[in-house]
Amino acid sequence: MLRKILLATLLVSAVQAHAAYQCDSIPKDDITVSPQNVAITGSDGNMTITPTGDITFNGSARQPSAAVRQQAIAYQAAVRKDMPWINQGAHQRLDQAKIALDRIITEKLGADSGIHKRLDSLDVQLKEQFSRVLSQDNGVMTYHHSAIDSVHQNSEKLVQNAMGGVLQDSLNEMGNMKNLSSTSNPLQALMGNLGGLQQAVQQEWKQHEDDFQQFGQQVCQRVTLLETQRHALYKAVK
């Protein structure tokens, strides 16, 4: 049970943070945002849009009508706003999950517990995975659609592996606690300590669960709207 709760706490924060893979509208294009333009690369064609609504489609400059130009301006502005918002929100929730677990480990096992290092390592690994979906380089942000499935799978494996180590460390460290050596039933005391850790994690998870789920839904809504705008723009430009 403890393993499942720990897994849920970190996995949901990691995977639901880029919850686009759960949406009906999954972007199938790579999208790059730079100060100069928003570039969409995919099977429907390659399009670049400047902040003023100038459009290039498959290498050819288009002469959009006033209405289409406004569509283009609105779409690229939405992309510029939503991609950083998703990126920031994902990292924020990963940080929240780690801070919460660190605090519980400190309370139950101490500040010098080896589990803190495991959580530090997992945090870095999960953020590296997420950067494969939304990468940043010199002021340019890129969404890589083909990375979604593998990042989901890799993140789940990372969390599963880390949680195995966390549970083993918990048992080892609890087994060395002074209150166990002074009791007539150390096994019962150990299970009591483990139950206390489980309860603390479960209570913490309940405090964050709604926020994680709400964020995932908001990501899905924004991604769906962006895809609707993109489809309409492609149809008008082709």
Side-chain angles (χ1 to χ4, degrees):
M1 183 63 179
L2 174 61
R3 181 188 181 96
K4 290 181 180 179
I5 296 170
L6 286 168
L7 177 63
T9 305
L10 276 174
L11 183 58
V12 172
S13 64
V15 178
Q16 196 168 34
H18 43 83
Y21 76 92
Q22 295 180 345
C23 297
D24 292 333
S25 297
I26 304 176
K28 298 293 185 182
D29 306 277
D30 287 344
I31 303 173
T32 301
V33 179
S34 70
Q36 293 76 29
N37 58 54
V38 168
I40 307 100
T41 305
S43 59
D44 291 338
N46 303 328
M47 182 164 58
T48 61
I49 308 167
T50 69
T52 58
D54 293 332
I55 301 171
T56 300
F57 187 77
N58 287 338
S60 299
R62 293 290 197 264
Q63 300 298 323
S65 65
V68 172
R69 182 178 292 275
Q70 288 305 310
Q71 280 183 263
I73 291 173
Y75 172 73
Q76 65 88 33
V79 171
R80 291 181 184 279
K81 181 179 73 172
D82 289 347
M83 280 178 52
W85 177 84
I86 292 171
N87 188 60
Q88 181 180 5
H91 282 82
Q92 180 182 14
R93 282 156 181 82
L94 273 174
D95 290 340
Q96 289 173 352
K98 182 180 180 299
I99 290 171
L101 289 178
D102 269 327
R103 184 177 65 251
I104 292 171
I105 297 303
T106 297
E107 291 174 355
K108 300 298 181 180
L109 297 172
D112 59 347
S113 171
I115 294 176
H116 292 297
K117 291 183 179 180
R118 287 191 184 274
L119 293 178
D120 288 342
S121 177
L122 179 60
D123 180 63
V124 171
Q125 290 174 319
L126 290 176
K127 287 177 179 176
E128 286 176 348
Q129 285 297 311
F130 185 70
S131 68
R132 294 177 52 213
V133 178
L134 281 178
S135 64
Q136 298 185 79
D137 183 29
N138 294 326
V140 177
M141 178 176 286
T142 303
Y143 163 74
H144 307 273
H145 84 279
S146 61
I148 288 284
D149 289 339
S150 64
V151 165
H152 176 217
Q153 295 169 2
N154 291 343
S155 296
E156 186 170 4
K157 289 178 182 177
L158 286 170
V159 175
Q160 289 278 7
N161 292 337
M163 287 307 99
V166 166
L167 284 179
Q168 186 61 55
D169 286 351
S170 299
L171 291 171
N172 292 340
E173 292 179 18
M174 286 180 179
N176 293 327
M177 286 183 171
K178 292 181 180 180
N179 68 322
L180 293 184
S181 60
S182 60
T183 181
S184 60
N185 193 334
L187 179 58
Q188 184 177 1
L190 175 61
M191 295 308 296
N193 288 345
L194 193 60
L197 177 60
Q198 172 183 318
Q199 185 178 13
V201 173
Q202 189 172 20
Q203 289 174 348
E204 187 68 37
W205 166 241
K206 288 180 180 179
Q207 294 180 22
H208 295 283
E209 184 177 11
D210 289 344
D211 175 63
F212 289 161
Q213 292 182 350
Q214 183 180 19
F215 177 66
Q217 292 169 359
Q218 291 174 343
V219 170
C220 187
Q221 290 170 357
R222 294 196 183 205
V223 167
T224 300
L225 180 58
L226 286 176
E227 277 297 275
T228 299
Q229 291 177 284
R230 185 189 67 80
H231 281 299
L233 190 57
Y234 266 63
K235 185 177 180 180
V237 170
K238 280 186 174 180

